[in-house]
Amino acid sequence: MPPDATAVLQARIAEIERDDSLQRPERLRERIEAMDRLDALLFDDVADAVRRHASALMRQLETVNQTAYLAIRAAIRDGEGKAVLRHWLQALAAPADTPLDDQAYDALDSVLAGVLPFDEPADGDDALPAEMVFYQPTPARHILDLIERVQLDVADVLVDLGSGLGHVPLLAAICAGARCIGIERNAAYVACARRCAEALALTGVTFVEQDARAADLTTGTVFYLYTPFTGTVLRSVLDRLQREASARRVRVATLGPCTAIVAGEAWLVPLEPPQPHRVAVFHSIAPRSA
């Protein structure tokens, strides 16, 4: 006979309540994991009283997390975000030998969602134009992987083509100190991203409401695409990037199905063989004038 769902949840609640260490701010990962374990046990056949107990415990743990998130936000506003946020994200990261072979979200994304003061817009991409792809934020571990593998630094200008709510430009600006530009056609997403950057006093991040086919790409040194569009739109943007690369070296980073298309561009050379479901990094060949 399978175990009673209510009894299993009660046992998990008791286990978490006995662990006093979960009240310490530095136990951020452990609290997130405890909340995930509770959430996974909230089945329809769980007794209401036990469900309420579990929900109250999750709110209590989240309150402790919010204290940590507020401290990280304050550090970002004071110009110390690079060290503080990277410390937390590295502490929560999976071991170095763990393959980044999927696009699921994890504890890193929970932290990022808590730190970035988003007021997500109610209207999304319900009526997308042809060849535009429904928005999904890049998982945080892939953003960190991108920053490391392109060796992003203060001398760079990262342009995120199809930036959505701005996770990539915001995190790259905080963790690498690079100037970052998000290009996004959805006005509600742009407004939300701008408010977030303003709340964190991130002056090196700009969000532009524009079609990527018409955007100013002349200052970019690194261009990122999480498959924001397909077909002729992607072709048009890649042709524009090729023209930029004819005047200077650029790097192009991709995630998702567009990687296969970008890998076929003769003017780009991969940093390493592209892997499915991992950020791929390409360098442009030297321009003729170089």
Side-chain angles (χ1 to χ4, degrees):
M1 176 181 293
D4 177 70
T6 295
V8 172
L9 181 54
Q10 285 177 313
R12 185 55 50 81
I13 291 171
E15 173 194 345
I16 293 171
E17 289 183 326
R18 286 193 301 268
D19 189 353
D20 294 336
S21 71
L22 291 175
Q23 299 303 314
R24 300 204 300 265
E26 67 272 15
R27 301 278 286 178
L28 185 56
R29 172 190 282 279
E30 290 78 8
R31 281 192 299 277
I32 291 172
E33 292 175 346
M35 292 167 65
D36 286 343
R37 291 197 300 271
L38 288 173
D39 188 58
L41 292 172
L42 291 176
F43 304 125
D44 291 339
D45 54 349
V46 170
D48 287 344
V50 179
R51 180 188 301 277
R52 289 194 296 271
H53 191 176
S55 297
L57 180 55
M58 291 172 66
R59 289 194 297 271
Q60 177 187 338
L61 295 174
E62 181 57 25
T63 297
V64 183
N65 284 350
Q66 287 298 326
T67 300
Y69 299 150
L70 288 172
I72 297 171
R73 288 185 197 174
I76 294 171
R77 287 193 294 270
D78 291 342
E80 300 173 359
K82 180 176 182 179
V84 174
L85 183 56
R86 283 192 72 102
H87 163 76
W88 281 107
L89 294 178
Q90 288 171 352
L92 288 163
D97 59 352
T98 302
L100 301 178
D101 58 358
D102 66 80
Q103 295 177 36
Y105 300 103
D106 58 20
L108 291 178
D109 299 285
S110 296
V111 173
L112 198 59
V115 170
L116 299 181
F118 280 130
D119 52 343
E120 296 195 23
D123 55 326
D125 286 338
D126 294 336
L128 282 173
E131 301 184 325
M132 296 292 180
V133 177
F134 185 83
Y135 168 65
Q136 275 188 292
T138 301
R141 67 184 180 283
H142 289 299
I143 304 176
L144 295 177
D145 188 42
L146 163 68
I147 291 170
E148 295 298 329
R149 291 172 64 234
V150 302
Q151 299 181 341
L152 196 70
D153 61 28
V154 295
D156 281 310
V157 177
L158 169 68
V159 179
D160 184 357
L161 297 166
S163 55
L165 291 171
H167 292 74
V168 173
L170 291 165
L171 189 54
I174 296 167
C175 291
R179 181 184 166 207
C180 297
I181 302 170
I183 307 296
E184 171 58 46
R185 52 166 292 278
N186 186 301
Y189 287 164
V190 171
C192 179
R194 286 173 177 168
R195 288 192 296 269
C196 185
E198 182 178 357
L200 294 174
L202 295 174
T203 58
V205 184
T206 304
F207 292 99
V208 181
E209 180 191 340
Q210 197 168 31
D211 189 304
R213 290 168 290 188
D216 180 4
L217 306 179
T218 59
T219 60
T221 63
V222 179
F223 296 90
Y224 175 66
L225 301 93
Y226 185 9
T227 311
F229 26 71
T230 61
T232 60
V233 178
L234 178 59
R235 180 71 266 154
S236 176
V237 171
L238 288 177
D239 289 344
R240 293 199 63 211
L241 290 176
Q242 183 177 11
R243 288 195 292 273
E244 294 298 323
S246 68
R248 67 188 193 284
R249 285 181 182 267
V250 300
R251 287 159 285 170
V252 178
T254 64
L255 183 63
C258 75
T259 296
I261 305 299
V262 176
E265 296 294 294
W267 55 279
L268 288 172
V269 178
L271 179 66
E272 57 189 40
Q275 302 175 37
H277 309 304
R278 186 181 184 184
V279 170
V281 178
F282 304 86
H283 293 253
S284 64
I285 61 175
R288 292 192 183 94
S289 59

